[in-house]
Amino acid sequence: MAERIFGIGIIGAGRISGAHARAAGEAGSTRLVMASEVDDKRAHEFEAKWHVPVVSDYLEVLNNPEVDIVSLTLPHWLHEPIGIAAAQAGKHIFVEKPMADSIDECDRMIAAARANGVKLFTGHTEQFLAPNVKARQMIASGEVGLPVLATDCWYKAFGVAARPPWFLDRSKGGGMWLMNGAHMIDRLTYLMGDRVVSVKAMVQTRFHAIQADDTALAYLEFANGTGATIAHTGYKDHAGAGVDQPGGEIVITCTEAQLKIVDRNRLFRSVPGDRGGAWEEVVVDRVDTTTAELRALVSNIVNNEPETVSVEQARHIVDVMTACEMSSQTGREVRIND
Ligand SMILES: NC(=O)c1ccc[n+]([C@@H]2O[C@H](COP(=O)([O-])OP(=O)(O)OC[C@H]3O[C@@H](n4cnc5c(N)ncnc54)[C@H](O)[C@@H]3O)[C@@H](O)[C@H]2O)c1
């Protein structure tokens, strides 16, 4: 029997949309059918590059019978309404992270997906990055002992002039915390293999006159009693204000060794050295994460199995992010009971 080819429709032809278009061409059993974009210039650029029609009304994507899966590469505040519309149209959903801006929105999206029998796959890239996958294997196998604590630091320029208006407004899902905190919470929960039960955090606006955060410091306590810290900034854009890291640096201290992941592409482990220890690189292959995510989603559909990135995990990340914001507002520890 011929292999089924899944038609992909992309809604939102902005910064990350090219990764989804490329994945549609490379995943093997998918093809890009069309896209939707409200900005004329971006629509024309996408059409010229990817050679598919780009319409302004996303309902045309949802009504196209050739589209089986929609990639929602949209501002965060549109994930929920367009995600629910996609579920009601019977389309499987590949939504960029975070699933939504609040757990109430996540719950409504999950309910719509379940009611309509479609997959709801959140693009939590960190779970597909080769250094993270290898580090997780090393921890899960016991090779480096049990995780004790982790630190995750990611400093970069905010790039305020190049940011779209929604990104400067928390009510639209803007700010560095929802954009990058989502990655940091995802990779820490993935690497530690555990859920967060409590947070104490500051999520603040220190560098810019905007209605969204640019600075975060958080302490996460995991269910098994281990902990992790997150430090993240989108510092000012001027020479010398800071040093940009493409993906930050995570150190996981386990009972038998330390692991370090740098800029999302290099993994190191501690080995014996002159003064106690030294870093040795663990070589890993590069992976096109969006293609890997799309392949996983297709496999989930074909095999009628739960999403590889579970809706519970994607919702948990939103729960932790918003708990950190609440902790910052109240000055108190916030417990998570999801
Ligand atoms: N996985 C990663 O590493 C990664 C990296 C960047 C962004 N992202 C995620 O991708 C998503 C999009 O981020 P971005 O940086 O590409 O944003 P963006 O603002 O560059 O792109 C969003 C696009 O959606 C369009 N849009 C808005 N309303 C629309 C509508 N009703 N119909 C059709 N198009 C509409 C906008 O005009 C814009 O072009 C976010 O969830 C973000 O967190 C993920």
Side-chain angles (χ1 to χ4, degrees):
M1 202 169 74
E3 187 189 12
R4 181 174 169 196
I5 301 295
F6 290 82
I8 308 291
I10 293 178
I11 305 182
R15 194 163 60 112
I16 198 71
S17 60
H20 285 252
R22 189 180 62 243
E26 290 183 358
S29 52
T30 53
R31 74 177 178 95
L32 184 59
V33 173
M34 67 185 299
S36 167
E37 170 58 57
V38 289
D39 179 280
D40 283 348
K41 184 167 174 283
R42 286 183 169 191
H44 288 131
E45 283 169 1
F46 190 96
E47 212 162 38
K49 182 159 186 191
W50 298 103
H51 312 293
V52 292
V54 181
V55 296
S56 58
D57 184 353
Y58 71 84
L59 290 175
E60 284 189 49
V61 179
L62 300 188
N63 290 332
N64 186 338
E66 289 185 28
V67 171
D68 303 292
I69 298 170
V70 286
S71 276
L72 304 186
T73 46
L74 286 161
H76 297 151
W77 65 288
L78 290 172
H79 289 190
E80 185 217 359
I82 299 184
I84 289 176
Q88 288 169 346
K91 307 300 182 190
H92 298 289
I93 300 159
F94 181 8
V95 60
E96 265 298 340
K97 41 55 63 175
M99 181 189 282
D101 290 350
S102 70
I103 51 168
D104 288 345
E105 292 177 23
C106 292
D107 286 340
R108 290 192 286 268
M109 289 172 75
I110 295 166
R114 293 297 173 255
N116 290 283
V118 297
K119 300 294 176 202
L120 173 57
F121 186 106
T122 306
H124 277 299
T125 318
E126 296 283 339
Q127 298 179 36
F128 295 83
L129 285 165
N132 295 359
V133 171
K134 180 66 182 169
R136 176 71 206 131
Q137 284 166 359
M138 292 168 81
I139 294 169
S141 70
E143 180 183 339
V144 288
L146 293 169
V148 175
L149 59 87
T151 57
D152 189 344
C153 300
W154 189 359
Y155 305 116
K156 61 188 292 188
F158 195 99
V160 76
R163 294 289 187 180
W166 71 267
F167 195 82
L168 310 179
D169 181 353
R170 174 60 181 88
S171 73
K172 304 267 190 236
M176 295 302 264
W177 185 235
L178 290 192
M179 180 59 83
N180 294 326
H183 285 307
M184 299 172 88
I185 295 164
D186 179 36
R187 63 200 189 188
L188 285 170
T189 49
Y190 175 72
L191 290 164
M192 300 294 272
D194 204 357
R195 297 174 77 75
V196 176
V197 291
S198 170
V199 302
K200 177 82 172 70
M202 58 173 240
V203 182
Q204 302 178 338
T205 311
R206 300 300 294 262
F207 299 101
H208 305 91
I210 55 173
Q211 299 302 313
D213 69 86
D214 55 21
T215 305
L217 187 66
Y219 173 69
L220 315 181
E221 183 189 329
F222 292 95
N224 66 8
T226 60
T229 57
I230 290 177
H232 183 52
T233 60
Y235 56 75
K236 268 186 195 165
D237 305 297
H238 69 74
V243 179
D244 237 24
Q245 295 172 304
E249 182 174 302
I250 312 157
V251 177
I252 308 139
T253 301
C254 301
T255 50
E256 308 305 325
Q258 286 185 305
L259 298 175
K260 179 167 75 167
I261 298 162
V262 180
D263 287 337
R264 289 172 138 179
N265 62 25
R266 296 182 75 187
L267 171 65
F268 301 85
R269 70 161 288 166
S270 59
V271 294
D274 288 346
R275 288 187 299 149
W279 291 117
E280 181 178 85
E281 185 154 10
V282 179
V283 177
V284 289
D285 292 334
R286 284 190 76 85
V287 171
D288 184 307
T289 49
T290 315
T291 302
E293 291 166 53
L294 185 56
R295 283 196 184 124
L297 169 56
V298 167
S299 167
N300 298 155
I301 296 167
V302 170
N303 298 312
N304 194 21
E305 63 195 14
E307 295 85 349
T308 303
V309 175
S310 73
V311 293
E312 291 79 16
Q313 163 75 351
R315 181 190 187 277
H316 180 63
I317 292 163
V318 175
D319 206 359
V320 176
M321 285 196 306
T322 51
C324 287
E325 291 179 317
M326 190 189 295
S327 170
S328 187
Q329 285 155 14
T330 60
R332 294 177 188 279
E333 176 186 349
V334 175
R335 297 205 64 82
I336 292 168
N337 303 309
D338 64 3

